[in-house]
Amino acid sequence: MTATRYRSRLHQAGGERRLETHPLTWWLRDDGERVDLDDYVAKDGYGVVRQVLGHQTPDAVIETLKAANIRGRGGGGFSAGVKWSLTLKGEEVPRGYLVCNADEMEPGTFKDRLLLEQLPHLLLEGMILGGYANAAYYGYIFLRGEYVAAAQALERAIEEARAAGWLGRDIAGSGFDFDIALHTGAGRYICGEETALINSLEGQRANPRAKPPFPGQSGAWGKPTVVNNVETLCNVPAALRFGADWYQGLSGERSDDGGTKLYGVSGQVRRTGLWELPMGTPAGELLDRAGGLRDDRTLKAWLPGGGSTGFLLPEHLDLALDFDTIGKAGSRLGTGLLTLVADDQSLVALVRNLEEFFARESCGWCTPCRDGLPWAVELLRALERGEGQPGDIERLEALAADQGPGKTFCAHAPGAAMPLASAIHFFRDEFARGIAGAREEGG
């Protein structure tokens, strides 16, 4: 019996995709197998490396990225061009590192896996360009350890690129030296925080670091270090190939955020998977592409970008899926992968499951996270059993407030607090039914 291999699935066939409209997925094969070096180069892969290295200054590359407004696709939404402009550079500064954050552990997120397993050369090309712009001499791909197929694809791609001269010394005759190594993590969600990732890369415990100094000034082994998400780096080649105006035009009037996005849907829908669409695509269009909910269920709520984002309601489906629009609605775009919740699902049970994950993955560095998350889990378990006590909902709200932005060492606890606080805000009656005696009193 052959074991079934799970793949992140793109629901757009090759005939629907062109480089000018689908710069992240144009190269992909319809059979889901890895695009090797020959196929990638045949479609002008690494062409942007030849175009940029030795012909444009690093500052010119950064200015293009700033104008294109490539915002971090790992969830933070910070401008990649601005981040690169803050990297410490100069003749007296040692060349540092470019690190790709491929530690994809956000609940409900599987977009980077598609690129890592099926299109690793696009990531490598983006890293070479990023290394050039940031005066880095070495790159690391920090990969989630459970992504075994992705590790195999990346190792093979690195070998192919190095043998062909795209990695190593004097890339494309430009005089620029840069190489890449794959580092597989030990499976901790906290490594999604860039300074915890750097600590882990150095062989230390994956705790966040105090900032400042920021990684761009003193990161891995004390040298300037830039950390970007997989999808962010994969956007770089096309933006430099066609320019900032073209990149901004991909989203058109939908959004001020440039480019396309790998959006996805999971949960109680007929068709889960991924689509590359313009930034600012309405959430309702994603639900339509997913075929709606299974078994004629009714939508109760949805998460716009993974487990650390706040719940939104069906009336929010017309919102543009971009960073600012979703932020104004009280949530976060996050990774841009929707999780759909049907009307027959318990929000208390769903949130309890999420909070158990966040409590388990806490590094334990600060009190609101280390002690507050397990306490929230215990309260939610009691409510789920119908054994909650009067005041438990208020305690949960207080815990979520204590874990908010600026009150913890990193964004782990604020991310955990957002689905909890929003679920109570929109569905307080479900939590109230978990108070002991509430069901009997309600008949």
Side-chain angles (χ1 to χ4, degrees), residues 281-302:
T281 295
E285 181 176 333
L286 265 292
L287 180 55
D288 290 342
R289 287 175 178 271
L293 270 66
R294 294 198 300 259
D295 305 321
D296 297 320
R297 293 173 173 174
T298 301
L299 180 66
K300 177 191 285 189
W302 54 285

Side-chain angles (χ1 to χ4, degrees), residues 88-407:
L88 196 61
K89 310 178 187 77
E91 292 183 2
E92 304 301 319
V93 179
R95 290 179 62 188
Y97 304 97
L98 179 81
V99 180
C100 171
N101 183 353
D103 196 55
E104 186 174 55
M105 289 185 66
E106 179 74 15
T109 298
F110 44 89
K111 63 181 179 65
D112 292 344
R113 183 174 188 171
L114 176 81
L115 298 169
L116 293 165
E117 292 184 356
Q118 300 181 34
L119 196 50
H121 282 288
L122 179 63
L123 173 61
L124 300 187
E125 185 168 15
M127 290 184 69
I128 295 165
L129 296 165
Y132 178 72
N134 288 283
Y137 81 97
Y138 212 85
Y140 288 98
I141 301 171
F142 191 101
L143 179 69
R144 176 181 176 179
E146 292 85 353
Y147 276 11
V148 177
Q152 294 170 344
L154 286 165
E155 288 281 18
R156 181 62 183 144
I158 291 170
E159 291 172 0
E160 290 174 338
R162 191 177 291 133
W166 297 114
L167 291 174
R169 297 184 62 82
D170 192 25
I171 297 173
S174 65
F176 177 65
D177 304 336
F178 184 76
D179 211 337
I180 295 173
L182 176 66
H183 176 92
T184 53
R188 292 305 307 272
Y189 176 75
I190 193 65
C191 289
E193 199 280 334
E194 62 179 5
T195 61
L197 182 155
I198 290 171
N199 271 343
S200 181
L201 184 64
E202 292 180 347
Q204 303 180 60
R205 181 173 176 176
N207 287 339
R209 295 180 178 181
K211 294 183 285 190
F214 292 91
Q217 287 73 57
S218 178
W221 297 284
K223 294 182 179 179
T225 303
V226 176
V227 182
N228 286 122
N229 172 258
V230 172
E231 188 184 357
T232 307
L233 290 164
C234 287
N235 271 273
V236 171
L240 293 176
R241 181 190 295 269
F242 295 116
D245 290 342
W246 167 83
Y247 190 82
Q248 276 288 307
L250 287 173
S251 55
E253 300 299 319
R254 299 176 182 86
S255 174
D256 291 333
D257 297 340
T260 59
K261 177 81 183 72
L262 273 180
Y263 292 111
V265 182
S266 65
Q268 302 299 320
V269 293
R270 291 189 174 91
R271 189 167 63 155
T272 60
L274 297 165
W275 293 263
E276 183 182 0
L277 299 169
M279 281 292 291
T281 295
E285 181 176 333
L286 265 292
L287 180 55
D288 290 342
R289 287 175 178 271
L293 270 66
R294 294 198 300 259
D295 305 321
D296 297 320
R297 293 173 173 174
T298 301
L299 180 66
K300 177 191 285 189
W302 54 285
L303 293 168
S308 64
T309 59
F311 285 98
L312 295 173
L313 301 177
E315 51 261 40
H316 295 122
L317 286 174
D318 62 343
L319 294 179
L321 289 169
D322 66 23
F323 294 98
D324 294 337
T325 302
I326 299 299
K328 290 175 182 177
S331 185
R332 294 189 310 113
L333 178 64
T335 57
L337 276 78
L338 280 59
T339 304
L340 283 299
V341 183
D343 58 351
D344 59 351
Q345 291 180 271
S346 166
L347 258 296
V348 178
L350 196 157
V351 171
R352 184 265 308 154
N353 185 54
L354 284 176
E355 298 306 312
E356 284 182 342
F357 170 83
F358 290 121
R360 183 177 68 247
E361 294 298 325
S362 171
C363 74
W365 191 251
C366 54
T367 303
C369 189
R370 179 188 64 245
D371 297 336
L373 290 175
W375 190 3
V377 169
E378 290 304 313
L379 293 171
L380 288 165
R381 286 173 178 167
L383 291 171
E384 193 176 2
R385 295 192 303 265
E387 298 173 1
Q389 299 300 312
D392 279 358
I393 298 174
E394 290 75 16
R395 291 186 188 94
L396 286 169
E397 290 177 316
L399 286 169
D402 288 343
Q403 295 161 7
K407 297 182 179 180

